[in-house]
Amino acid sequence: QVQLVESGGGLVQPGGSLRLSCAGSATMISRYTMNWYRQAPGNQRELVASITTTGNTNYAESVKGRFSISRDSTKPIVILQMNSLNPEDTAVYYCNAVSLLRQYWGQGTQVTVSS
């Protein structure tokens, strides 16, 4: 059974940082496009950041300059480093792996930004 497991969520004050990790198989982490999505209450799920198999990255406009996605194929994990967090970043964050034929999701991790 394919698994993606997120970790690192929690409660943080505005301006703070969190580091989310997504653990999966070595094959998946290195050979799939890996994405982070988020979904806030009442909102649609939105794409936050992506990293392709060649290392190209893309970010939603709302997080550019604050979030950074990377992969460590030796562990194997995908990381979302989130800095300068604000209350609008509060959501459940989901890890997603995509290939030409398949797509997998993690169970999500809650991020809450509040004073």
Side-chain angles (χ1 to χ4, degrees):
Q1 184 175 355
V2 176
Q3 282 190 320
L4 290 172
V5 181
E6 301 98 333
S7 61
L11 175 64
V12 63
Q13 292 186 343
S17 297
L18 280 176
R19 182 178 182 265
L20 304 184
S21 294
C22 173
S25 70
T27 298
M28 182 174 295
I29 297 298
S30 62
R31 297 184 182 182
Y32 283 58
T33 291
M34 300 301 297
N35 305 303
W36 283 97
Y37 283 78
R38 67 185 180 187
Q39 187 168 19
N43 290 356
Q44 290 187 337
R45 193 171 293 189
E46 63 170 342
L47 180 61
V48 175
S50 297
I51 184 166
T52 68
T53 55
T54 57
N56 292 324
T57 59
N58 284 287
Y59 299 92
E61 284 296 325
S62 60
V63 306
K64 278 184 179 178
R66 301 188 297 121
F67 289 13
S68 177
I69 187 171
S70 60
R71 62 158 46 91
D72 185 342
S73 298
T74 64
K75 292 193 177 180
I77 58 174
V78 174
I79 297 163
L80 185 67
Q81 178 66 43
M82 306 187 296
N83 300 324
S84 301
L85 286 161
N86 59 61
E88 290 70 37
D89 296 315
T90 295
V92 178
Y93 284 71
Y94 297 90
C95 182
N96 168 254
V98 177
S99 70
L100 287 176
L101 299 177
R102 296 179 177 86
Q103 178 174 215
Y104 302 98
W105 291 92
Q107 82 288 350
T109 185
Q110 177 70 46
V111 171
T112 302
V113 185
S114 174
S115 55

